[in-house]
Amino acid sequence: MPAKDTVHVGFLIFPGFPMACLTSAIEPLRAANEIAEKTSFSWTVLSESGAPVTASANVVFQPDQALGSAESLDYLFLLSSPQGTFKNPQAGNGRLRHLVRHGTEIGAASGGIFPLAASGLLLDRTCSVHWCYKSAFQTKYPDITSNDDVIVIDRGRLTASGSSAMFDMMLRLIENTLDGTIMTEVACWFQHPLVRSEGVSQSVPAFKTDGLAKDMPEPVARAIDVFSQNLEDPLAISDVAEQVNTSPRQLERFFKQSLDQSPLQYYRTLRMNAARQMVVYSGVSLTEIAQSVGYSGTATLAKHYRTEFGLTPSEERKRVNRFRVEQTVPCRRPDCLSDGPCRCDKRVMQRASR
């Protein structure tokens, strides 16, 4: 990360982006400027066309400028939902590559990893992917290396798993640009007690409980890790028990005590959650999804999926696609510049929902 008088950071927002990622990045930079009593950081919010963009919380943001006119950015972060794409991929991806060739370090937070991967700028790099998108991302981009760390920085590519991780990324930038004292004061301003850096793993829920997987008893936590690494070719519970140095009966007892379900039930839950990521966030076929979570066909997948979520994968995909269409019908008023839904004409949304 460069040391200079003013570091200029760009944020490229796509429709449906999580606005928490944007505020978690800008607010610590603003605070650092105040504490340092100088403009150490400046920032620009961009969209593909310069038109307003609606965040996932249905809040409309007016960017400062279009991506095509952005110059002299030290950093550029893509903020998006997993479905984020350029309307004109050739021009958009070309502009990203142009900026990188001219010295911009590029990154992404949360679902922004998807359009960044689509640009080709993550090839031969390792990146951070939020756990809830991991299976979908690995299926869509099998040639890109990802891991479970909250932050990954690899040769000019800076990726953060979510909004809190984005805050940590900015703290690192503040420390490198100014110093550790100011970074610590910024963290304390926002009551951000634990400053995480590279090598720190994401917190993942122990599904159907109120705890985290890492906080489970050691044999359970280790078994969950083994399960997570073996979704495509499921292991026998006896083999997992052997890997965590316990007996199948003991492992069963540990899971019942900690999670109120058997290891086999938990393993199936992990596989169904991975399948759901791909159903919701990818366009791969249901046959491919079934195979990626250890089923030879879609019938058994559909049965277990319905048990877990109350509907089949095909029903879920239809529901999600219908919702996306209804939520992204553009306004038809000629004076509206929004790329997506707006508040100009509620009748447009009413027509879409019929």
Side-chain angles (χ1 to χ4, degrees):
M1 294 185 179
K4 52 187 296 186
D5 290 339
T6 300
V7 173
H8 191 188
V9 185
F11 300 100
L12 176 60
I13 56 176
F14 291 79
F17 79 97
M19 66 180 187
C21 289
L22 182 61
T23 57
S24 292
I26 291 177
E27 282 299 291
L29 300 182
R30 174 194 62 80
N33 284 345
E34 290 192 32
I35 292 168
E37 297 184 339
K38 61 180 181 178
T39 305
S40 298
F41 301 98
S42 61
W43 47 87
T44 300
V45 179
L46 310 161
S47 71
E48 181 178 3
S49 65
V53 175
T54 303
S56 59
N58 204 32
V59 177
V60 179
F61 283 74
Q62 175 61 61
D64 299 303
Q65 62 185 122
L67 174 63
S69 60
E71 294 286 355
S72 303
L73 297 175
D74 295 302
Y75 299 92
L76 175 64
F77 291 95
L78 279 60
L79 309 180
S80 174
S81 72
Q83 294 81 30
T85 58
F86 285 116
K87 289 184 176 179
N88 185 338
Q90 183 176 3
N93 292 329
R95 188 61 184 174
L96 296 184
R97 291 191 288 269
H98 167 83
L99 290 169
V100 169
R101 285 196 302 270
H102 287 77
T104 300
E105 296 193 29
I106 197 166
S110 189
I113 196 74
F114 285 82
L116 182 57
S119 73
L121 290 169
L122 283 178
L123 291 175
D124 301 321
R125 302 292 200 281
T126 299
C127 62
S128 171
V129 179
H130 194 290
W131 62 265
C132 74
Y133 304 141
K134 180 179 178 181
S135 293
F137 184 84
Q138 291 177 336
T139 299
K140 190 168 185 178
Y141 299 106
D143 296 330
I144 296 177
T145 303
S146 63
N147 69 26
D148 298 325
D149 291 353
V150 293
I151 290 172
V152 175
I153 300 175
D154 185 1
R155 292 167 292 158
R157 308 294 184 267
L158 305 89
T159 50
S161 56
S163 60
S164 180
M166 193 64 174
F167 194 102
D168 292 314
M169 181 79 79
M170 295 302 104
L171 290 178
R172 178 189 174 101
L173 177 56
I174 291 166
E175 181 178 27
N176 289 347
T177 303
L178 296 171
D179 58 49
T181 301
I182 291 177
M183 181 272 287
T184 300
E185 189 168 347
V186 170
C188 291
W189 268 33
F190 294 95
Q191 292 296 291
H192 193 79
L194 178 63
V195 180
R196 301 170 299 176
S197 60
E198 297 168 85
V200 177
S201 296
Q202 299 175 42
S203 295
V204 178
F207 297 102
K208 297 189 176 180
T209 77
D210 58 359
L212 301 176
K214 66 179 181 180
D215 296 330
M216 296 292 107
E218 184 178 355
V220 175
R222 291 174 60 195
I224 289 174
D225 185 58
V226 173
F227 288 152
S228 300
Q229 302 303 317
N230 293 274
L231 299 180
E232 185 173 353
D233 299 303
L235 300 173
I237 299 302
S238 58
D239 293 334
V240 177
E242 183 177 353
Q243 289 193 42
V244 301
N245 298 318
T246 190
S247 68
R249 182 173 296 182
Q250 275 287 82
L251 188 62
E252 182 94 14
R253 186 176 297 115
F254 284 133
F255 267 79
K256 286 287 187 180
Q257 291 172 347
S258 302
L259 300 170
D260 197 30
Q261 59 183 313
S262 69
L264 183 60
Q265 290 171 321
Y266 188 84
Y267 200 3
R268 182 175 296 168
T269 295
L270 284 184
R271 293 162 67 194
M272 289 304 99
N273 281 328
R276 195 177 202 183
Q277 288 182 29
M278 288 177 273
V279 168
V280 174
Y281 300 123
S282 80
V284 300
S285 71
L286 297 184
T287 298
E288 291 177 274
I289 293 173
Q291 292 172 347
S292 70
V293 293
Y295 293 97
S296 58
T298 60
T300 305
L301 171 68
K303 177 183 175 182
H304 292 167
Y305 199 99
R306 181 185 286 278
T307 299
E308 193 74 26
F309 304 119
L311 72 176
T312 66
S314 58
E315 290 169 344
E316 174 108 280
R317 183 163 276 178
K318 288 177 182 177
R319 180 188 64 80
V320 170
N321 288 340
R322 183 170 61 249
F323 175 79
R324 288 173 186 157
V325 169
E326 292 172 358
Q327 293 300 307
T328 56
V329 174
C331 178
R332 296 176 186 174
R333 282 183 52 168
D335 58 335
C336 180
L337 300 177
S338 176
D339 285 335
C342 70
R343 296 182 177 85
C344 292
D345 189 351
K346 293 183 180 179
R347 291 174 296 175
V348 174
M349 298 301 293
Q350 290 168 353
R351 284 195 295 271
S353 64
R354 284 201 285 265

